[in-house]
Amino acid sequence: MVKVLFILTIIFNFAFADVYENNCLKCHNKLPVSIDKYFYRYLLKYSSERDVKKAMTDYLKNPSKETTIMPQAFIKRFGVKEKTKLTNKELQEALDTYWEEYKVFGKLK
């Protein structure tokens, strides 16, 4: 009975987890730099929601040393991210979730 509940829990969690959790957090949780640090670097450079999402979309579709916002020491140690395998719709959904999770607009008092 415990095995059945365990398996059902795993299936339920996987089936209802969003694209951001399944495709972004899963890998970024293994890196020494937390995923929010990337967000704040993009936010400092691009400021608006539209520009941040566009820059992230462009980078994730075609990552390179020239377009990364990470410092050279980081790229030298970890390399450039692989090109995303997400569809445009999945990528947009993941970025929307990411934005909602870490945006500072409306959260400052």
Side-chain angles (χ1 to χ4, degrees), residues 39-48 52 66-69:
F39 181 85
Y40 299 126
R41 291 182 75 87
Y42 272 99
L43 191 59
L44 282 172
K45 184 169 182 175
Y46 296 101
S47 302
S48 74
V52 167
E66 292 75 29
T67 58
T68 185
I69 59 161

Side-chain angles (χ1 to χ4, degrees), residues 10-109:
I10 290 173
I11 291 171
F12 183 79
N13 285 338
F14 184 74
F16 292 101
D18 63 37
V19 69
Y20 169 71
E21 289 179 18
N22 285 334
N23 296 285
C24 304
L25 284 181
K26 191 170 134 184
C27 293
H28 277 273
N29 283 340
K30 297 174 188 171
L31 294 175
V33 178
S34 61
I35 197 166
D36 61 325
K37 302 295 186 280
Y38 301 92
F39 181 85
Y40 299 126
R41 291 182 75 87
Y42 272 99
L43 191 59
L44 282 172
K45 184 169 182 175
Y46 296 101
S47 302
S48 74
E49 178 179 357
R50 184 186 58 141
D51 291 346
V52 167
K53 287 181 179 178
K54 182 180 179 332
M56 287 181 164
T57 299
D58 291 346
Y59 179 74
L60 292 170
K61 286 183 171 182
N62 191 19
S64 70
K65 287 181 181 177
E66 292 75 29
T67 58
T68 185
I69 59 161
M70 298 307 289
Q72 283 192 337
F74 181 89
I75 297 302
K76 188 174 182 178
R77 182 171 178 196
F78 298 105
V80 174
K81 179 177 180 44
E82 290 181 25
K83 184 177 179 178
T84 184
K85 295 177 182 170
L86 297 176
T87 65
N88 288 341
K89 182 181 177 185
E90 290 171 328
L91 181 57
Q92 185 60 51
E93 182 182 327
L95 290 174
D96 288 344
T97 303
Y98 189 48
W99 177 266
E100 288 302 316
E101 180 74 21
Y102 295 106
K103 71 179 181 183
V104 294
F105 307 110
K107 293 182 178 176
L108 299 175
K109 294 183 180 181

